[in-house]
Amino acid sequence: MRFILRRVIELAVVMFGLSVLIFVISRVLPGDPVRFALGPQATEEQIAQLSREMGLDQPLVVQYWRLIKGLFQGDLGVSLTTFRPIAGDLATFLPASLELALFSMGLAILVGVPLGVMTAVYRNRSRDYIGRALAFTGVAIPVFWLALLVQALLSFQWRIFPPLGRIDADVRPPPHVTGSFLIDSLLVLDIGLLFHVLSFLILPAVVLAASPMAMILRLLRASMIDEMGKDYVLTARANGMPRNLLIHKYVLRNAFSATLTIIGLLFGFFIGGAFIVETVFSWPGIGRYGVRALQFKDFNAIIAVTLLVGLAYAAANTVVAVLYGWLDPRLRLGRR
């Protein structure tokens, strides 16, 4: 419990530092967000009135205190682009981003881990060369270019997958339970709607998972090759332990610690890195919402989206640290 409590305290400190940093950066950005929101025809009286309503005419210390107080109360302010409460906007757009992030993360793990094991076991053979080439390609190709490429080929030219959006405009979404169309369509057992939702989800998920899958593959391959050269592996092989048992029960678990770190960090990447993918595929998530907030200097929305992405990174690191202690008790009991 002390180990977990220490990690949670570290999470709180990181989030406090991030809140200070993003607040200062948002206030030194050029441009007046109120003028952006009201348009070029707004009068000085209208600008002054909206500034007073948003609290932007108060000292920075007071503005930051209102921000922190609102965070604890669940009040993130009002967006200057949608003129709706930001908490409501995030609740609307977050399920789509989580659906895309979790699906992409699952795809990256399901493909990257078996390929990493295969390339390590069949080192310097044809399977290893193919896997390493795939990993190199996934890391080297920019996300925006890969998104445009697969969209142009698989959507506009070959018409295999729909190019934009989350669901067709003439199709009724499933009843709202979790906010994830994929899960909600499963809950109502609507198989036709499930495949319809999947057809929109596959392309952005594959693009978002390409680079993380390559990272998992390369890191796991290197860790397993290092682990297979250790004495306990050589002893087990000499004593006749079956190869599959040795690889999957012992070597993979011991080599998975380093890979677990990158998987935890990648969850934050899937939330924050989806900005480009959501914009290209018009996916209605917080990434697209954040891009629009940046375009119109919507300070409140920028701060909220940044804190949400930072929380995803920090929380993932905390969970990984706890899982580290479970996988390797030496980390958990080191100070004792």
Side-chain angles (χ1 to χ4, degrees), residues 3 25 36 43 57 70 94 118 128 138 146 148 151 171 175 177 190 199 203 212 231 244 257 259 290 312 334:
F3 179 80
I25 292 176
F36 274 101
T43 64
D57 60 333
L94 183 59
M118 182 191 71
D128 183 25
L146 180 60
L148 294 174
Q151 188 182 62
V171 176
V177 180
D190 192 335
S199 67
L203 276 191
D231 292 341
N244 288 335
S257 296
T259 308

Side-chain angles (χ1 to χ4, degrees), residues 114 116-125 127-128 224-225 227-228 232-253:
V117 174
M118 182 191 71
T119 54
V121 172
Y122 297 96
R123 183 184 180 187
N124 295 329
R125 300 182 188 178
R127 300 182 189 181
D128 183 25
M224 287 199 62
I225 289 175
E227 198 70 24
M228 286 190 295
Y232 80 92
V233 177
L234 300 177
T235 303
R237 293 179 64 181
N239 289 331
M241 179 178 288
R243 184 184 185 186
N244 288 335
L245 177 64
L246 176 62
I247 293 297
H248 295 95
K249 185 175 181 179
Y250 297 100
V251 176
L252 179 58
R253 174 167 179 170

Side-chain angles (χ1 to χ4, degrees), residues 146-157 163-164 203 280-281:
L146 180 60
L148 294 174
L149 177 64
V150 299
Q151 188 182 62
L153 291 178
L154 300 180
S155 296
F156 295 114
Q157 184 170 348
L164 301 170
L203 276 191
V280 172
F281 290 98

Side-chain angles (χ1 to χ4, degrees), residues 18-320:
L18 179 62
S19 68
V20 174
L21 180 63
I22 189 58
F23 177 81
V24 173
I25 292 176
S26 67
R27 291 308 188 265
V28 299
L29 285 175
D32 187 350
V34 177
R35 292 184 182 274
F36 274 101
L38 295 178
Q41 306 299 326
T43 64
E44 293 298 328
E45 291 77 10
Q46 293 172 327
I47 293 173
Q49 180 181 356
L50 183 58
S51 296
R52 286 193 299 270
E53 293 175 358
M54 303 292 293
L56 298 177
D57 60 333
Q58 298 179 358
L60 293 180
V61 176
V62 177
Q63 293 183 40
Y64 179 75
W65 170 247
R66 290 184 58 182
L67 170 66
I68 296 300
K69 183 179 178 181
L71 287 175
F72 281 101
Q73 296 176 346
D75 181 11
L76 303 177
V78 177
S79 170
L80 293 173
T81 54
T82 64
F83 293 98
R84 297 192 302 263
I86 295 176
D89 285 344
L90 293 182
T92 301
F93 296 120
L94 183 59
S97 291
L98 285 177
E99 180 179 56
L100 177 60
L102 293 175
F103 191 86
S104 301
M105 184 170 68
L107 187 63
I109 294 173
L110 289 176
V111 176
V113 171
L115 286 180
V117 174
M118 182 191 71
T119 54
V121 172
Y122 297 96
R123 183 184 180 187
N124 295 329
R125 300 182 188 178
S126 58
R127 300 182 189 181
D128 183 25
Y129 296 143
I130 295 174
R132 288 161 63 183
L134 183 63
F136 178 79
T137 304
V139 172
I141 295 180
V143 174
F144 73 91
W145 188 85
L146 180 60
L148 294 174
L149 177 64
V150 299
Q151 188 182 62
L153 291 178
L154 300 180
S155 296
F156 295 114
Q157 184 170 348
W158 296 338
R159 301 183 182 277
I160 300 176
F161 297 101
L164 301 170
R166 193 181 179 194
I167 196 172
D168 275 335
D170 57 347
V171 176
R172 178 179 295 181
H176 183 86
V177 180
T178 64
S180 167
F181 287 179
L182 199 64
I183 297 176
D184 291 346
S185 59
L186 275 174
L187 292 177
V188 298
L189 301 177
D190 192 335
I191 304 302
L193 182 59
L194 174 65
F195 282 103
H196 179 78
V197 172
L198 272 174
S199 67
F200 282 84
L201 181 60
I202 286 176
L203 276 191
V206 168
V207 171
L208 191 58
S211 180
M213 180 274 296
M215 297 179 191
I216 293 172
L217 190 160
R218 296 179 66 184
L219 185 58
L220 184 58
R221 176 185 180 274
S223 299
M224 287 199 62
I225 289 175
D226 180 66
E227 198 70 24
M228 286 190 295
K230 294 185 177 179
D231 292 341
Y232 80 92
V233 177
L234 300 177
T235 303
R237 293 179 64 181
N239 289 331
M241 179 178 288
R243 184 184 185 186
N244 288 335
L245 177 64
L246 176 62
I247 293 297
H248 295 95
K249 185 175 181 179
Y250 297 100
V251 176
L252 179 58
R253 174 167 179 170
N254 292 334
F256 201 70
S257 296
T259 308
L260 183 62
T261 303
I262 195 66
I263 291 176
L265 291 174
L266 286 175
F267 179 73
F269 168 81
F270 284 123
I271 297 293
F275 280 47
I276 296 175
V277 175
E278 289 186 5
T279 302
V280 172
F281 290 98
S282 295
W283 189 264
I286 60 169
R288 192 179 174 201
Y289 177 72
V291 170
R292 183 174 177 82
L294 284 171
Q295 290 174 339
F296 291 93
K297 304 295 190 300
D298 189 349
F299 290 163
N300 292 337
I302 292 172
I303 292 174
V305 172
T306 306
L307 288 177
L308 183 61
V309 174
L311 179 62
Y313 270 103
N317 279 333
T318 302
V319 173
V320 167

